Amino acid sequence: MALEQQIMDQMKEAMKSKNEPALRALRAIKAEIIKAKTEPGAGGVLPEDKEVALLQRMVKQRRDAHEIFAQQARADLAQKEQEEIDVIATFLPQQLSEEELKTELRAIIAQVGATSPADMGKVMGVASKQLAGRAEGKAISAAVKELLAAHP
């Protein structure tokens, strides 16, 4: 409920300041929250971990769209997607730097006893849960591959 209230408060501010890009992104977040809360089995409640996953999915969708628009030389549409990414990202937890990510992954690799690239599945299962919201799956996967390939 805290995220939904934050969104509502910021929507009011965006309306007052006539900040169209922020308002567009905030409305999209609100719509996704309502959709998630009304899904069968949700019970009208959206736990914090689901909120983070929802926001991450929204950022990923917009990054993919931004990439496509940039390839098609549609700077106007790419700009809109980037503006929405910037607004949505403010609600996500602080992302790990590359070095922090590798440090956490080294600990996970030691924890699960991974010794070769064949153990990537074990590491990814634990890492995805522990680092949820703090790092993208693509970044986690790339770092795990690199660390396991260099693992003695």
Side-chain angles (χ1 to χ4, degrees), residues 51-150:
E51 288 175 347
V52 170
L54 179 137
L55 293 171
Q56 284 182 315
R57 187 178 73 243
M58 291 179 73
V59 168
K60 184 180 183 322
Q61 289 169 342
R62 280 154 182 79
R63 279 198 182 120
D64 292 345
H66 179 273
E67 200 173 293
I68 291 167
F69 291 142
Q71 288 172 357
Q72 295 175 350
R74 292 295 311 263
D76 55 332
L77 296 175
Q79 173 69 28
K80 284 185 176 185
E81 296 297 331
Q82 187 59 50
E83 291 168 351
E84 289 186 25
I85 290 169
D86 295 341
V87 172
I88 296 167
T90 62
F91 297 101
L92 286 170
Q94 181 66 36
Q95 299 291 296
L96 294 172
S97 71
E98 188 175 341
E99 202 46 51
E100 292 170 328
L101 176 62
K102 286 183 179 179
T103 302
E104 297 247 357
L105 288 173
R106 283 185 191 99
I108 292 169
I109 288 170
Q111 174 189 336
V112 298
T115 56
S116 71
D119 296 324
M120 185 164 173
K122 287 195 284 188
V123 175
M124 284 300 294
V126 174
S128 296
K129 287 183 182 122
Q130 285 186 9
L131 303 175
R134 299 187 304 152
E136 285 188 359
K138 195 185 293 187
I140 294 171
S141 176
V144 169
K145 279 182 189 172
E146 180 185 327
L147 291 171
L148 287 177

